[in-house]
Amino acid sequence: MIEEKVLRAIEFDKLKQKISEFCVLKSGKEVLLAETPCCDYENAVYLLDKTEEAYALLFNDGVSGIEFFDDPKDAIQAAAKGSSLSMGDLLKCARFMRSARILYSSVLKAKSDAPILKNEISGIFTDQYVENEIFSKIVSDDAVSDTASEKLYALRKNIRSLNERIREKLLSFIKDGKSEYLQENVVTMRGDRYVLPVKSEYKGRINGFIHDRSATGSTLFIEPAAVLELNNALRSAKLDEQAEIERILADLSVKIGVISDRLLSDLGIITDIDAFYARAIYAYKTNSVRPKLNSEGIVDIKNGRHPLIPKEKVVPVSLSFGKEYNYLLITGPNTGGKTVSLKMTGLFAAMATSGMFVPASDGTEIACFGKIFCDVGDEQSIENSLSTFSSHIKNIISITENADGRSLVLIDEIGAGTDPDEGSALARAVIDDLLKKGSRGVITTHYSALKEFAYTEKLMKNASMEFDPETFAPLYKINIGMPGTSNALEISEMLGMPKDIVRRAAGYMGNAKLSFEKVLKEAEKTRREAENLKAEVRAIKAEESKKLEEIDAEREKLLKDKEKFYAGAKAESRRIVNEKIEEADEIINEIKTLFDKEELTSGDLIRARTLRNDLERKKYAESEREERTVEYEPINAEKLKIGDKVYHKPTDMICTVNSVNVKKGECEVFAGSLRVMAKIKDLFFVAKSEGNAKTTVSLKRNGLVTPATEINVIGKNVSEALYDIENFLDAAVVNNLEEVKIIHGKGLKILSSAVHDYLKRDPRVSEYRFGKYGEGERGVTFVKLK
């Protein structure tokens, strides 16, 4: 059991208050505020498991939180004793039952594997019949529904009828010429009986009973004898109504009393779940992680952030002890963060063993300590006549008497408050004792002797709070392995201390002390320079590694493109060969058909000779590979007509015009069986006469030409880009490419969205995707063709 004063010293109470704000129920908040760290390793792991399950349910499965309800405990206990509950208490019970049912249903239907919470929640008792009955019969905290029972419905119907009859009877007095006797022409009530306001001087003119008079005595409130029986009947009906309401409330209360034990059990379960939901919500809000718990006394905090310091001000701190050494001795200037780091260590230990995640990075490890001891700050007590030093020593005595191998010890400014030499010697003796007991912990000091001692003691490690060597401003970071300097003289001068006083103070310091402090400052300066250099080297190394990865990726891509190219070339070669064989077979079969005739005519012989010459030309056309040229001239859109043979520059093919749209500057052409929408500016007439201005383009293909596998449309508008992409895909299909790349850039996603919409509708596309890391990511799209 950890002492309450220790938990206050590390501010665990303030943290619990902060986490409890995420509780829905008052009872859940009370449970969480009463929480104390668990000293048993297995139980501590169990608590962390529950928080992790709550986190998964809330933020992975989207399970709704606990629905709020007022605490029904007193009402349930009263019903268990046979008391009849009020309407408000019955509604409290119904709201609680509804909340329990929703929690039960949502958690058990969740996909996450949460065995602890699901097992706990499976024990919740639900009775939707009683819940619905209360909601249907109780309208509000002071009203019962007319339909709560048949008898109540009939009574209220009769009451409404009696009210109307009485009012009509009294209004008849006013209409029958008796209004002059009345103070006002209204019907009012005294008590629960209808009366008329009669002027006192006419009291004898109205036969009835006087129920009240005004403060001045000028008005008497008289119940006319004519409505006496009706008022009596109304009074009786209201008494019957109240009796029926009490019967209904008593009946519902009995039903709550019968299941009171189960409801109280449900209340305990929901309260517990509420406290763990609050832990999970806090972890989510603060980006906290589950610490790895151990029973070996190891503490390894990675980028820990003190949970009580605002996130915009907190500086992450990393520290460790418990493996190679048991104690960390932190030194450095005041206000440098020593005490904050010390208290954060104790707070993380308390959080981890209370089922709470810690605001740190993944890999943070915390030990489950059996005891935590803490001596932080000025606990001077006027009442007990204890000085600061006396209070400090009293705490140290308690620590040395009770610490053991499962203890975490946190001492701020050990041995301070007395003569430095004596304080330093006493501090070293205390540390010796704590090391012999096998305890772990963090100690802060300004004593140089302790810094030197930490260098020689293998179970202790020096650490310092970093500061800027130029400005001496604290950086709130821990440097393990190097002791720090107090920088008291430099900081005093920065704060305005006269320079002559600072120089005089330096003269009073011993040469050995000055030398030691100077060595530490120079060492810190050198270390920081080395760290900066190391960081630069790491950055250069990372950049070079990235470049090598890009080169490897490009090499791999080229190899794949090469394989695709050869595969495409083989396929195209097979197609051409098969096509030529088919043409040759057709010619040969026609020749055979001619010679199979019994008689050959001269026309047959001429035809046979022609077919033989065609076969000879096809035989030598490919082997000779003669260079052929096609002459073409720019298109005149007005002269372009259907059926014209044109050269389409983007696909390098001779095409036939199928349709023309002069206004849009487009036309549809056929390249074999392939339909292409082409811009007129990309088309050229195949020249027919020598008189026209001509341009010559070589159609000779010496060897295989690698088709384009990518297109860049960055900077183009959507219509221009889609037109170019269509032609690009036409060429890719003609060249039997399996995959191509479209470079469109990231920008405002307008162009990439248009490209993807186009690809979605294109029947030639089997699939498409954005680039992966190293491929251009969302700035490029890879397209697989059918």
Side-chain angles (χ1 to χ4, degrees), residues 760-777:
K760 190 186 300 181
R761 297 190 301 271
D762 195 314
R764 299 168 295 181
V765 175
S766 63
E767 62 180 82
Y768 57 90
R769 65 174 177 82
F770 279 122
K772 299 177 182 177
Y773 179 76
E775 294 181 338
E777 302 180 45

Side-chain angles (χ1 to χ4, degrees), residues 123-175:
I124 288 180
F125 168 79
T126 61
D127 191 334
Q128 196 169 358
Y129 174 79
V130 173
E131 174 194 332
N132 290 341
E133 186 178 7
I134 294 174
F135 280 128
S136 65
K137 292 182 177 181
I138 310 298
V139 178
S140 65
D141 288 357
D142 54 5
V144 174
S145 172
D146 290 353
T147 58
S149 72
E150 291 183 6
K151 183 177 181 181
L152 183 62
Y153 181 81
L155 285 169
R156 287 185 172 173
K157 183 178 180 182
N158 183 43
I159 289 170
R160 286 191 293 270
S161 175
L162 287 170
N163 277 312
E164 288 300 319
R165 290 170 61 190
I166 293 170
R167 291 182 65 84
E168 288 176 5
K169 193 76 172 175
L170 292 175
L171 288 172
S172 68
F173 278 86
I174 301 172
K175 294 177 182 179

Side-chain angles (χ1 to χ4, degrees), residues 63 97-110 118-126 266 270 277:
V63 169
M97 293 174 71
R98 178 175 62 192
S99 180
R101 176 174 53 80
I102 292 172
L103 176 65
Y104 176 88
S105 175
S106 62
V107 171
L108 293 187
K109 288 180 181 177
K118 285 188 175 182
N119 180 64
E120 190 172 342
I121 289 173
S122 66
I124 288 180
F125 168 79
T126 61
D266 285 359
I270 297 175
Y277 272 7

Side-chain angles (χ1 to χ4, degrees), residues 669-688:
V669 299
F670 281 103
S673 60
L674 187 66
R675 180 180 66 84
V676 178
M677 286 300 299
K679 284 195 178 294
I680 293 176
K681 66 179 183 179
D682 292 334
L683 300 177
F684 299 87
F685 278 129
V686 177
K688 296 180 180 178

